[in-house]
Every structure is written in C-alpha cells, then in structure tokens.
C-alpha cells in the first residue's frame, strides 16, 4: 500500500519534472557571506594544489608507481570537489536554498559516490604498492609495472562507479514524501534517504551493500597490507632503516585514516541516527578540508613529489629568466 503523504509516481508526475530544494546553510543567514568566502578560498586552494601535483607528475617522463597513483588521486580530488563545492557556493548566494532537479540530484549523488568509491579502491592499490616496495623490494620493478598500475587505476574507477550506479538507482527508486527539502548542501545519501516514505530498513540495504564493497573490502585489503608491512619492519634491526621504510607509508596512512574515518561515521549507521546539523559539519570536512589536506600532506611528506615540484618550479624560473632576457635583447616592453 502507498504510504500516506508520499508522492504518487504516475504518468502525470514524472521524475524529470520533480525538484528538490537544497537548504544548505540557510539557517545561518548572517554568516552567509563569511561562509561563502571561506568555502571559495578553500576550494581555489584545493584546486590549485591538486592541479599543481597533476601537472608536475604529468610533466615527468619516468613516473614511479607511487607518483602515478598520486596523479590519479589528484584527478579524483579535482572532480570530487567540482561535483560538490560549486553548487554549495551557489546555494550560499540564495537566501532560502537552491533547487536541483531529480536528474541533477541523482547525477550528483552518482558522481560523488563513484569518485569516493574509486578513491577507496585507489587507496587499497597504493597500500599494495607499499607492500611490494617494503616486503618484496627486489621484485618491485617487475611487479609494479606501468601496465599493472594502469590496469589497477582503471579497475578502481570501474569498481567505484559500478557500485555507485546500483546505489543511486536504488535510492531514487524510493517513494519520496511531499516535502522535497533536503537539509544539506548537496544530495548526500543519508539526507535523501531521510525523505523516503518508508519505515522499514529495506531502503538501507543497498547502502549497507555499498559500504561493504566500497569501505569494508578496501579497508581489509589495506589492513592486510600493513600487517604484512609491520611484520617486515619488526624484523629490521636498524632503527634508521625501519624509520625510513615507515616514512614512505606515513602519508598514505594519514589520508586513509581521514578518508575512512569520515566515510565510516557518515554511512555505517542506521537512518534513525540522522542529524542534519552534525552531518553537514562532517560533510564539510570530507568534501572541503580533506581534499585540501591531501596535496599538502603529500607535498610535505613525499620525497618524490617534493622533487617533482622543485623541478617544475625550476623549469618555470628558467623559462621566466629566458623570456626576460629575450625581452631585454629585443627591446619588447
């Protein structure tokens, strides 16, 4: 039987004509300008940082596997923020929220989940790279070939977007209540599920399955890799060698903890515990703060990235000096 107050899906009311209202931070009307400036600055710095890493790595002719994975991670983070932040910034410019179509909301959720899932799988692939580098260093060049790295990256993207498609279709096949007000700044899964006119836990089963595939499975692979790495490090007698080996994993560990910590808090829980105010704060962290921290962590902790960035800046400085010399010789202003 149809639930009371639910929207009827018939030939007269199609999904294409339905709209949701993203309330965003409309309750903080007086802080709207300040929030807009903060989000804009963070967004621009995030784009600049990830773009710099992507360009620097792309300019390298010989890319070690870790640099190759970092390049893919930067691409994912660039797309990740572009899917969420521009709409959130636009919502801060409107007083009572911003509308988004049914198709637009579904597309935003699909891209968000797909990119997040691809990042989960990519972090697992990076942990495998660290496992081979530390546990089987003599076979590293043979095992982690360019072909394998490319296949792993493609598999990560295909896996993430395949699971995202199933989850998005499941969520948007639910009957929604008369109120289409999403108390969030983007079409996040818990916020949209909160509008579903059902009192059973059946709608949460696709989310649970997606969490198992996108969060639990990669996390088990990462944990297995680091258990093997820890076993090898404990057998190393030299503290200097042990510290040097561990430092190559430090950046990856921090990013893994940030990513899985926020994602687990948001999605591995029942719908009854949904809290709009709390969820928006946590969502701010994993859609704005963590993408900003990723390039900072890797540029500060990863020796290869620092070397590539120095080389790129050196080339840029030489190009500027050559251009200044040409202008001085030719007399061009």
């Amino acid at each position: 039987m149809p639930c009371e107050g639910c929207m009827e899906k018939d030939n007269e009311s199609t999904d294409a004509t339905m709209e949701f209202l993203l309330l965003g931070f409309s309750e903080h009307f007086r802080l709207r300008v300040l929030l807009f400036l903060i989000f804009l600055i963070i967004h621009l710095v995030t784009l600049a940082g990830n773009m710099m890493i992507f360009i620097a790595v792309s300019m390298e002719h010989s890319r070690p596997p870790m640099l190759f994975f970092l390049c893919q991670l930067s691409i994912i983070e660039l797309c990740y923020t572009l899917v969420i932040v521009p709409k959130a910034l636009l919502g801060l410019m409107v007083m009572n929220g911003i509308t988004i179509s049914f198709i637009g909301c579904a597309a935003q959720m699909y891209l968000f989940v797909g990119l997040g899932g691809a990042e989960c799988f990519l972090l697992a692939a990076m942990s495998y790279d660290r496992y081979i580098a530390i546990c089987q260093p003599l076979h590293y060049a043979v095992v982690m070939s360019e072909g394998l790295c490319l296949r792993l990256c493609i598999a990560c993207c295909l896996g993430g977007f395949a699971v995202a498609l199933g989850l998005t279709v499941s969520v948007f096949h639910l009957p929604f209540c008369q109120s289409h007000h999403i108390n969030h700044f983007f079409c996040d899964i818990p916020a949209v599920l909160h509008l579903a006119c059902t009192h059973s836990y059946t709608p949460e089963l696709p989310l649970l399955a997606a969490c198992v595939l996108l969060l639990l499975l990669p996390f088990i692979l990462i944990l297995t890799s680091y258990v093997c790495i820890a076993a090898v490090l404990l057998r190393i007698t030299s503290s200097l060698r042990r510290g040097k080996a561990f430092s190559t994993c430090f950046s990856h560990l921090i990013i893994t903890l940030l990513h899985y910590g926020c994602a687990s808090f948001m999605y591995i829980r029942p719908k009854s515990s949904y809290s709009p105010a709390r969820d928006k704060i946590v969502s701010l962290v994993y859609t704005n703060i963590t993408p900003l921290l990723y390039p900072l962590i890797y540029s500060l902790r990863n020796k290869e990235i620092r070397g590539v960035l120095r080389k790129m800046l050196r080339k840029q400085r030489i190009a500027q000096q050559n251009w200044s010399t040409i202008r001085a010789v030719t007399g061009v202003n």
Side-chain angles (χ1 to χ4, degrees):
M1 292 182 62
C3 57
E4 183 180 354
C6 289
M7 181 199 65
E8 294 292 338
K9 289 189 176 182
D10 52 28
N11 295 330
E12 296 180 0
S13 179
T14 62
D15 293 340
T17 60
M18 192 198 313
E19 286 187 338
F20 294 102
L21 181 67
L22 293 172
L23 298 178
F25 297 93
S26 55
E27 70 271 21
H28 302 294
F29 176 73
R30 295 183 179 180
L31 299 174
R32 190 174 56 176
V33 176
L34 178 61
L35 289 172
F36 178 84
L37 292 174
I38 293 174
F39 287 179
L40 180 61
I41 292 172
I42 291 175
H43 182 54
L44 293 177
V45 174
T46 301
L47 290 179
N50 284 290
M51 186 65 74
M52 182 178 293
I53 290 179
F54 171 70
I55 293 173
V57 175
S58 300
M59 290 172 61
E60 280 291 296
H61 299 293
S62 59
R63 288 186 290 270
M66 183 52 73
L67 284 185
F68 184 83
F69 289 133
L70 287 178
C71 184
Q72 304 306 312
L73 186 64
S74 295
I75 295 173
I76 289 174
E77 290 303 323
L78 281 170
C79 299
Y80 194 74
T81 54
L82 288 173
V83 166
I84 303 299
V85 180
K87 196 76 175 180
L89 290 173
L90 188 60
L92 287 170
M93 300 173 65
V94 181
M95 185 178 299
N96 296 317
I98 185 171
T99 58
I100 183 171
S101 67
F102 181 91
I103 301 298
C105 190
Q108 188 182 53
M109 181 183 292
Y110 170 67
L111 292 172
F112 172 73
V113 176
L115 291 166
E119 184 172 339
C120 289
F121 288 130
L122 187 61
L123 289 173
M126 293 168 74
S127 71
Y128 177 71
D129 172 78
R130 292 299 85 201
Y131 161 75
I132 297 295
I134 294 175
C135 299
Q136 301 180 27
L138 298 179
H139 300 94
Y140 181 74
V142 176
V143 175
M144 298 305 298
S145 62
E146 186 175 345
L148 177 63
C149 294
L150 182 59
R151 288 193 296 271
L152 284 174
C153 288
I154 294 174
C156 290
C157 292
L158 291 177
F161 281 100
V163 176
L165 180 61
L167 177 60
T168 305
V169 170
S170 300
V171 170
F172 283 90
H173 263 78
L174 296 172
F176 293 103
C177 298
Q178 292 290 341
S179 175
H180 295 159
H181 293 186
I182 300 177
N183 194 1
H184 215 300
F185 57 90
F186 72 102
C187 291
D188 200 11
I189 305 166
V192 176
L193 279 178
H194 191 67
L195 302 181
C197 283
T198 176
H199 300 290
S200 68
Y201 288 99
T202 305
E204 298 182 51
L205 294 179
L207 177 58
L208 179 61
C211 288
V212 170
L213 292 173
L214 298 181
L215 293 176
L216 184 60
L217 179 60
F219 184 75
I220 290 175
L221 295 175
I222 293 172
L223 186 62
T224 303
S225 296
Y226 276 105
V227 167
C228 296
I229 289 172
V232 171
L233 292 179
L234 289 174
R235 290 199 297 267
I236 298 176
T237 56
S238 172
S239 59
L240 182 62
R241 285 180 56 201
R242 190 187 304 124
K244 187 177 180 180
F246 177 76
S247 66
T248 63
C249 307
F250 188 75
S251 301
H252 178 261
L253 275 172
I254 293 178
I255 288 179
T256 300
L257 291 174
L258 283 172
H259 184 77
Y260 279 92
C262 293
S264 300
F265 177 82
M266 285 297 299
Y267 303 119
I268 305 180
R269 59 179 185 176
K271 191 176 81 170
S272 58
S273 64
Y274 172 71
S275 171
R278 182 185 59 195
D279 281 24
K280 279 190 282 190
I281 293 174
V282 179
S283 296
L284 278 177
V285 174
Y286 73 76
T287 59
N288 290 269
I289 306 302
T290 52
L292 172 66
L293 293 177
Y294 287 179
L296 293 176
I297 292 170
Y298 269 110
S299 60
L300 292 175
R301 295 290 310 179
N302 191 281
K303 183 175 66 176
E304 294 171 331
I305 281 290
R306 290 200 305 269
V308 169
L309 290 175
R310 279 197 297 266
K311 190 183 296 184
M312 185 186 73
L313 294 174
R314 193 182 306 119
K315 288 180 179 179
Q316 184 180 3
R317 196 179 305 116
I318 292 172
Q320 289 176 348
Q321 291 174 354
N322 292 339
W323 175 242
S324 299
T325 303
I326 292 172
R327 289 177 59 186
V329 171
T330 58
V332 178
N333 293 326

